Amino acid sequence: MSQVNVGLCGLGTVGTGVVKLLQNHAEEIKHKVGSEINIKKILVHDIDKKRDVSIDREWLTNDPEELVNNPEVDIIIEVMGGIEDTNVLLEKAISNKKHIVTANKDLMAVHGQKLLRLAKENQCDILYDASVAGGIPIIRSLTEGLASDRIQKIMGIVNGTTNYILTKMTDDELAFEPVLKEAQELGFAEADPTSDVDGLDAARKMTLLANLAFKMEIGLDDVEVSGIRTISQEDITFATSLGYTIKLIGIASIHNGKAEVTVEPTLLPKDHPLALVKNEFNAVYVYGEAVGETMFYGPGAGSMPTATAVVSDLMDVVKNTRLGITGNEYVTPQYEKQLKENDEKYMQYFIRMEVDDTAGTFQKITNVFTDENVSFAKILQLPSDKEKMAEIVMVTHKISKQQLLNSRENLKDLDVVNRIISYYRVDGED
Ligand code: NAP
Ligand code: HSE
């Protein structure tokens, strides 16, 4: 193949980066893959929009058929987003024997397994490294560099927007809303940032990583998700005074063949490697049975970092095509899905509550925890703004989620507990 023709769906933040990279690194790319890569068509909404990159106007179209049914197009790069319509479009492209490169985690988390199977049936590649952690080659690392190992735990900051917000709230004591607006202006928040702040974007990415790491079909519904909206400046202050930093952490772990995938605000010791990841940066820690600890760090979003992953996938497709080995990605899960129950999920917890500032309060509270066999690593009490009230923060030793839920229910029944203000997972202390 002296020439490869690409149909590019989308010319926004990522699509523009892809075009720039293909133009600016054309010689190096050709040298590495042995073919010239041409853009044949670009699908956009608005053909007349001013573009931030030099393109031939003839390439632009708003008719998807000009890409997916075009016999001259070999590979589709999908960087336009969307789930259902985009799925239909890619199914059609694959049925027409076109290889796919996508950055679309929303699509892959929902329809990825089906698309992978269809691609295999048609001997096509579908590569999606850019869909998790932008410029960090984490999917590539799990499928290639760490392929020989058994992955036991993945723990990551995989959403740049929430990491940016939490960094600004912690380091500069800024409020949530204006920082979110800033993240949108900087281009890493989703068009609808709900999926960022409520943890769904991170959950989609963790689903993709868990599937690859544990070789079982874990769906989005199997992920326990909570976002960062409820984190207050007071939570951050208490966490800081106990030596922690709050981050939105995705965790996928497996023990005795049973998996658990969560995305939730998590307190990490302030010198933990993930606690030191600031602003929109992403980082993924992977623990493998043989390799031990590895950590991947870099830009999780943005035009050029994400384009780097997209174009590297594109180059792999070109190489696979030349070698005649397309459509060989792993698609069949090796194991039946098994998920941990609440009494099999062990972690530390930070619990903050408002209580009566009277004699005997502490004893009543500790009795509840003693009944559930819960012991504490740290306890802090401070006066509350409210008269005759105090605030207590407790950090437990490792307990099961069931122990936490039982204790929480029983605390609600205590007359001395006015309210449980917040509770968060604590990780990284062992
Ligand atoms: P974006 O800036 O909003 O660009 C989307 C592009 O797709 C635009 O060019 C738009 O056309 C075109 N488009 C969208 N829907 C279309 C439709 N139905 N028909 C024709 N054209 C359509 O999006 P983005 O930030 O580049 O993100 C693209 C994908 O990459 C998403 O799946 C996203 O989740 C993923 N991703 C993004 C980042 C990031 O840093 N931005 C990082 C990793 C992954 P017009 O230009 O005419 O409006
Ligand atoms: N909105 C996403 C983030 C973009 O903030 O990480 C990259 O997937």
Side-chain angles (χ1 to χ4, degrees):
M1 283 177 106
S2 61
Q3 290 212 340
V4 174
N5 291 328
V6 166
L8 179 64
C9 301
L11 189 59
T13 306
V14 182
T16 300
V18 168
V19 175
K20 284 184 184 165
L21 201 60
L22 286 173
Q23 290 173 344
N24 298 344
H25 295 188
E27 281 309 310
E28 291 89 338
I29 292 171
K30 184 176 174 189
H31 179 76
K32 284 177 184 159
V33 299
S35 304
E36 196 169 290
I37 297 179
N38 299 318
I39 295 171
K40 201 74 191 165
K41 280 282 166 195
I42 304 179
L43 177 66
V44 289
H45 257 313
D46 179 2
I47 291 183
D48 297 321
K49 196 193 260 185
K50 192 175 172 308
R51 302 290 164 180
D52 188 25
V53 65
S54 132
I55 47 159
D56 186 336
R57 299 276 303 168
E58 291 291 298
W59 294 346
L60 294 177
T61 177
N62 45 31
D63 179 5
E65 301 295 321
E66 287 191 38
L67 286 79
V68 297
N69 275 333
N70 187 337
E72 289 185 78
V73 168
D74 305 298
I75 302 170
I76 297 283
I77 296 182
E78 186 279 299
V79 285
M80 65 180 200
I83 301 180
E84 297 309 329
D85 291 351
T86 309
N87 179 47
V88 172
L89 192 138
L90 294 193
E91 281 182 348
K92 201 179 268 184
I94 295 169
S95 303
N96 286 334
K97 309 284 180 205
K98 301 193 189 311
H99 307 285
I100 310 290
V101 173
T102 179
N104 191 336
K105 65 264 170 174
D106 307 2
L107 169 80
M108 289 307 287
V110 177
H111 294 298
Q113 293 301 322
K114 218 161 20 91
L115 285 170
L116 282 161
R117 283 186 203 112
L118 185 67
K120 196 175 179 76
E121 278 162 32
N122 284 277
Q123 286 186 317
C124 289
D125 275 346
I126 169 161
L127 301 185
Y128 54 101
D129 195 27
S131 62
V132 181
I136 307 176
I138 185 63
I139 289 187
R140 192 175 288 271
S141 301
L142 289 174
T143 53
E144 293 175 17
L146 298 171
S148 61
D149 207 354
R150 289 191 190 129
I151 305 303
Q152 296 178 327
K153 185 171 182 181
I154 298 178
M155 187 169 161
I157 294 173
V158 290
N159 181 268
T161 304
T162 45
N163 203 44
Y164 186 80
I165 295 172
L166 290 176
T167 303
K168 297 288 174 192
M169 284 176 75
T170 305
D171 292 357
D172 305 332
E173 292 181 25
L174 296 178
F176 177 89
E177 287 296 343
V179 187
L180 169 59
K181 207 154 164 264
E182 221 179 292
Q184 284 175 290
E185 283 159 10
L186 288 167
F188 34 82
E190 299 297 309
D192 173 4
T194 314
S195 64
D196 292 304
V197 297
D198 291 338
L200 183 59
D201 177 78
R204 286 170 169 154
K205 293 167 179 168
M206 291 308 296
T207 306
L208 297 178
L209 296 183
N211 269 287
L212 288 170
F214 306 146
K215 298 170 186 62
M216 52 176 79
E217 210 164 313
I218 293 171
L220 204 48
D221 291 345
D222 300 318
V223 186
E224 278 185 49
V225 191
S226 49
I228 65 163
R229 278 183 210 274
T230 56
I231 301 173
S232 65
Q233 204 51 253
E234 291 76 34
D235 286 333
I236 292 175
T237 307
F238 272 110
T240 306
S241 57
L242 286 168
Y244 299 111
T245 302
I246 307 187
K247 295 284 186 189
L248 185 72
I249 300 288
I251 298 182
S253 64
I254 193 157
H255 187 64
N256 289 338
K258 289 191 172 184
E260 178 191 5
V261 187
T262 58
V263 170
E264 59 187 309
T266 302
L267 274 66
L268 300 170
K270 64 177 188 301
D271 55 355
H272 188 279
L274 289 177
L276 305 173
V277 176
K278 303 248 174 181
N279 298 319
E280 73 275 26
F281 277 85
N282 282 195
V284 185
Y285 157 98
V286 181
Y287 187 86
E289 186 184 293
V291 74
E293 294 178 34
T294 55
M295 174 109 164
F296 302 81
Y297 170 85
S303 182
M304 296 315 290
T306 311
T308 309
V310 170
V311 175
S312 297
D313 274 353
L314 172 66
M315 291 167 71
D316 268 0
V317 176
V318 177
K319 285 188 254 177
N320 289 347
T321 307
R322 216 189 27 236
L323 296 169
I325 54 164
T326 54
N328 275 303
E329 289 302 304
Y330 130 84
V331 290
T332 315
Q334 188 177 355
Y335 304 107
E336 193 72 23
K337 176 174 76 182
Q338 284 197 75
L339 300 173
K340 287 185 203 169
E341 301 294 335
N342 280 343
D343 60 0
E344 297 170 302
K345 299 173 181 172
Y346 276 86
M347 63 204 87
Q348 286 183 267
Y349 282 100
F350 163 105
I351 306 162
R352 182 176 155 223
M353 53 196 139
E354 187 178 74
V355 300
D356 286 354
D357 196 4
T358 50
T361 291
F362 224 86
Q363 190 179 2
K364 287 184 182 172
I365 291 171
T366 50
N367 282 348
V368 165
F369 286 110
T370 308
D371 287 348
E372 281 298 323
N373 205 20
V374 174
S375 69
F376 293 99
K378 294 176 187 173
I379 297 178
L380 183 69
Q381 177 173 336
L382 288 176
S384 157
D385 292 344
K386 294 186 192 158
E387 213 180 317
K388 293 189 184 148
M389 291 281 170
E391 278 199 28
I392 296 181
V393 176
M394 298 172 144
V395 178
T396 70
H397 282 298
K398 266 193 180 168
I399 58 171
S400 71
K401 181 146 196 182
Q402 197 56 56
Q403 283 171 288
L404 171 84
L405 296 176
N406 294 347
S407 306
R408 203 185 58 176
E409 278 315 298
N410 295 337
L411 283 172
K412 281 185 192 161
D413 293 340
L414 281 188
D415 54 352
V416 292
V417 175
N418 194 30
R419 64 190 173 115
I420 297 172
I421 303 170
S422 51
Y423 64 95
Y424 300 112
R425 180 178 186 142
V426 178
D427 209 315
E429 291 207 298
D430 47 10

